[in-house]
Amino acid sequence: MIPIQIQKRFANPGDLERNFMNYIDKANLVVSASKTIALQCLYDCKSVNNFQSVDFFTGAFDPLRTNIEGDFVRPSSEHFLIYGIMASYAESTSDADSADGKFKWVKGFTSSQRFADTPAPPLQNAQVSIEVNSVRYLKFVPTTEFDGELGTKMNGYMFLNTPILWPGQQSLRLTLQTNDQSILFPNVAGEQFVVRFDLFGIGLI
């Protein structure tokens, strides 16, 4: 069966691309004729051991933990319009596996992918913020927003009511933090507690 989104594309070919370019034009961004429009998923993961706050898509660049090429600040004509975010965590990953980028991901932040189950501590009181070029677009969104009441394929996803534009040559910072300076993420000797965020959107590549 053809997904509804694809059926809509068949019925209205070019609409998505035209609307995206209209968004880019109104933002007065540079557009290169050599770029094409494509759906994208960009991810980054970080160890959060013993931290109160961790920033994603910025800082030290590790190609084993992201699919962004070369640098978090992308070329000037590669703009990305984000419409959804997926959160995952890999608990109890050995130091060796973490160093090699080997993780077993669990979507969302609850122990059995159900809202009623106990979240992986202390993620039950953590929150997410996003800023682009120092302008904040999400502020202190509870991590429970990434978990549904049922363990479905959509667990771990949060779709945005208003898309976030990440222009080329500008920085994006996604921050995961506990809601109190005294509360830290887990710290177990010989293990890494790793969190991953995937940004879903449409962009120029």
Side-chain angles (χ1 to χ4, degrees), residues 91-144:
E91 191 176 12
S92 300
T93 301
S94 69
D95 288 342
D97 282 349
S98 178
D100 290 337
K102 298 176 181 177
F103 306 106
K104 185 177 180 180
W105 299 109
V106 177
K107 293 197 300 181
F109 289 123
T110 52
S111 60
S112 296
Q113 303 187 45
R114 287 173 175 77
F115 186 84
D117 290 338
T118 304
L123 292 173
Q124 67 266 38
N125 57 9
Q127 48 206 11
V128 175
S129 301
I130 292 181
E131 62 179 47
V132 178
N133 218 30
S134 300
V135 178
R136 182 162 289 184
Y137 291 93
L138 287 183
K139 183 177 181 180
F140 303 154
V141 176
T143 50
T144 48

Side-chain angles (χ1 to χ4, degrees), residues 21-53:
M21 289 309 301
N22 184 52
Y23 207 103
I24 297 299
D25 290 340
K26 289 187 179 298
N28 295 315
L29 297 176
V30 175
V31 176
S32 171
S34 64
K35 298 295 182 181
T36 58
I37 300 172
L39 297 178
Q40 285 185 283
C41 173
L42 304 177
Y43 73 83
D44 185 32
C45 57
K46 296 280 177 69
S47 297
V48 300
N49 291 49
N50 213 33
F51 286 104
Q52 188 268 330
S53 177

